[in-house]
Amino acid sequence: MLLFFLFTCLSFILFLKSLPLNSLPLWASEMTLLSLWSHREFSAFCISSLMNSFYRSFIPRTCSKMSIKKINLSSRVDNVEIGEKSVLDLPELVLECILEKLPPAELFNMAGVCSSLRNRCVSDHLWERHMRQKWGRVIGPAAYRQWKWYIATRRDIGNLKQGKQSGLARLLIAVWPLSWTNSKLDNSEKQRIPLPTDSIMSWYLALETGKFCFPAQVYNRENGHVGFMLSCYDAELSYDSQTDTFQARYPPHGRRAGAIESNVTWDRLRAQPVDAPPHDLHISDCLNDLQPGDHIEIQWRRNEEFPYGWWYGAVGHLESCDGNANYCRCHNSDTVMLEFRQYAPGSRWRHTAINRRNHREEGNEADGFYGGIRKLKTEREISMWKSLWPTEVLE
């Protein structure tokens, strides 16, 4: 019906346009112009009516399939509003996959959006990967024990000062790394959400701030001082997120105060290979397996007041053996010859011998004391020591 009415009006207008205007009286000419103006207005009205009819009949059926919340119809057909969707409306598996892909800073930001996302974003399984990727190589059992003691201490302090509120959560907010200060989080209620102090997320953030110092070991201590080449010593480490380096605080050596070294890079660090304090003797469990060619680490200290460091060496042949593999019987001897080939031949540090059967700590005040031995079994450990090999032979 509407189309028929439209075609009728158009035909009438075309008929009027075909008449010569100069032969008509003035009122007819004015009516013709009025008709042309009405034609434009009427055309717009018809198009609007047609489009409204189209949206009323077609869009509701389509939108019901697309889950569109609300559609506003008017003469302007571009005012179509799609209903708002929240990230929480995503399927659980999709949301979990998104959170797993977020870097630590963004995952922390998401935890401040709402309580529902917070409960997801602080989950240990999301932070385990970040902890393992960044800190796994330098964190060992001793560091974990120290972390447990740290949070217990912070919790006790918080309870004394402000009831049951966690002191660690306030600490993390106050000393958040400057590299993350451009985060969308501000000093609003989002930041005041307390973090679970015993979570992996809290541990990661405490390491990132550098306020939690942890025990690990540093290769070639004191910036590769010649007296520590191819050695690895225990230290308390704190991280600097601005330089991506560490400060190492070494324990005192006898009466000498503990040394502090700055700008220690990641490639000079490792977790402690044995779970024992640096002054304790490691009980060797590989002595019966040692034979020429094996790569080893051995504890050594200058005197009994010093802590042990781990020094790289290899198992060599006895003086009575010419090194011929077909006739070598060194592995059957109770004596094991250790070589430190970074030192020149003839140096008193080049060789030392230990007893395979009853070795514990051997040495004297002049040459130092040799302690427990570790046999290196992985290529990664061996290649790490080789990468630190000095450019010149040591005397």
Side-chain angles (χ1 to χ4, degrees):
M1 183 65 182
L2 182 61
L3 290 176
F4 175 77
F5 178 64
L6 176 61
F7 291 141
T8 303
C9 292
L10 289 175
S11 300
F12 177 73
I13 293 169
L14 292 174
F15 169 74
L16 290 177
K17 289 180 63 177
S18 65
L19 296 177
L21 295 179
N22 54 6
S23 62
L24 294 175
L26 180 60
W27 67 268
S29 298
E30 292 176 352
M31 288 298 295
T32 303
L33 294 174
L34 180 62
S35 300
L36 292 175
W37 175 83
S38 301
H39 163 65
R40 290 193 297 271
E41 294 297 318
F42 182 71
S43 298
F45 170 75
C46 292
I47 292 173
S48 176
S49 299
L50 285 172
M51 294 304 293
N52 278 335
S53 300
F54 170 76
Y55 276 97
R56 288 191 185 97
S57 61
F58 177 73
I59 290 295
R61 293 193 299 269
T62 305
C63 291
S64 63
K65 298 179 181 179
M66 298 175 63
S67 300
I68 297 180
K69 184 178 180 181
K70 181 175 65 175
I71 300 177
N72 293 332
L73 300 176
S74 66
S75 59
R76 290 181 173 271
V77 297
D78 56 344
N79 287 337
V80 180
E81 299 181 1
I82 300 177
E84 295 182 358
K85 279 284 188 179
S86 167
V87 68
L88 295 176
D89 295 327
L90 293 172
E92 191 70 24
L93 182 59
V94 175
L95 179 57
E96 190 71 16
C97 290
I98 293 174
L99 296 179
E100 287 178 353
K101 298 296 183 182
L102 293 179
E106 296 303 325
L107 190 58
F108 176 81
N109 286 350
M110 288 290 284
V113 173
C114 64
S115 59
S116 181
L117 282 175
R118 175 187 174 276
N119 292 334
R120 290 178 169 87
C121 293
V122 301
S123 299
D124 283 351
H125 76 276
L126 291 176
W127 287 91
E128 282 175 352
R129 179 172 60 88
H130 297 304
M131 176 65 79
R132 183 171 59 253
Q133 288 179 349
K134 184 166 185 177
W135 298 97
R137 193 171 61 84
V138 298
I139 295 294
Y144 181 72
R145 284 196 306 272
Q146 189 156 317
W147 163 249
K148 288 296 186 181
W149 175 84
Y150 177 77
I151 61 175
T153 304
R154 298 303 304 177
R155 187 182 295 115
D156 291 341
I157 294 174
N159 290 340
L160 289 174
K161 290 185 176 180
Q162 297 186 16
K164 296 182 179 180
Q165 185 177 1
S166 168
L168 178 60
R170 297 189 301 276
L171 173 66
L172 295 177
I173 293 169
V175 296
W176 192 248
L178 294 179
S179 61
W180 288 10
T181 52
N182 292 329
S183 164
K184 295 180 181 179
L185 290 177
D186 53 16
N187 293 325
S188 64
E189 289 299 325
K190 295 177 183 178
Q191 275 189 316
R192 287 194 281 270
I193 297 174
L195 298 174
T197 57
D198 57 348
S199 67
I200 297 178
M201 176 183 179
S202 295
W203 191 11
Y204 185 97
L205 302 184
L207 289 167
E208 195 74 24
T209 63
K211 296 302 179 181
F212 170 62
C213 298
F214 63 96
Q217 291 187 340
V218 181
Y219 291 100
N220 290 0
R221 60 171 286 180
E222 299 183 21
N223 293 311
H225 187 281
V226 65
F228 297 100
M229 297 298 292
L230 291 189
S231 68
C232 204
Y233 274 82
D234 287 79
E236 287 285 323
L237 298 168
S238 60
Y239 180 61
D240 183 354
S241 61
Q242 296 303 295
T243 61
D244 194 29
T245 60
F246 295 81
Q247 182 184 82
R249 184 182 296 274
Y250 301 104
H253 277 52
R255 298 179 180 178
R256 175 185 170 189
I260 298 177
E261 180 182 356
S262 300
N263 300 318
V264 178
T265 54
W266 284 88
D267 58 336
R268 291 179 55 202
L269 301 181
R270 73 173 183 181
Q272 295 156 313
V274 297
D275 188 16
H279 286 84
D280 289 2
L281 177 70
H282 170 63
I283 305 303
S284 308
D285 58 359
C286 62
L287 296 177
N288 292 329
D289 300 328
L290 295 179
Q291 55 185 327
D294 287 342
H295 300 264
I296 58 98
E297 292 177 7
I298 187 169
Q299 289 177 313
W300 184 86
R301 58 182 176 179
R302 168 62 68 180
N303 58 52
E304 294 180 351
E305 295 181 355
F306 279 44
Y308 286 112
W310 288 95
W311 293 75
Y312 172 70
V315 179
H317 293 275
L318 300 174
E319 294 181 358
S320 58
C321 179
D322 61 3
N324 189 321
N326 294 324
Y327 301 101
C328 177
R329 296 294 180 268
C330 294
H331 58 280
N332 294 327
S333 174
D334 287 344
T335 301
V336 179
M337 184 64 68
L338 303 180
E339 291 185 342
F340 305 94
R341 297 168 185 168
Q342 64 269 33
Y343 294 99
S347 170
R348 63 173 180 162
W349 308 110
R350 175 82 179 194
H351 298 91
T352 191
I354 63 168
N355 188 286
R356 191 191 301 268
R357 292 187 179 277
N358 55 10
H359 171 71
R360 290 193 58 83
E361 183 181 63
E362 300 179 11
N364 52 59
E365 293 290 339
D367 297 331
F369 295 87
Y370 295 88
I373 298 175
R374 293 181 60 240
K375 180 179 178 180
L376 303 182
K377 299 180 180 179
T378 66
E379 186 59 34
R380 183 180 63 83
E381 285 187 297
I382 297 171
S383 61
M384 181 62 197
W385 283 114
K386 289 182 176 180
S387 69
L388 299 171
W389 201 268
T391 56
E392 298 180 359
V393 177
L394 306 178
E395 295 297 333

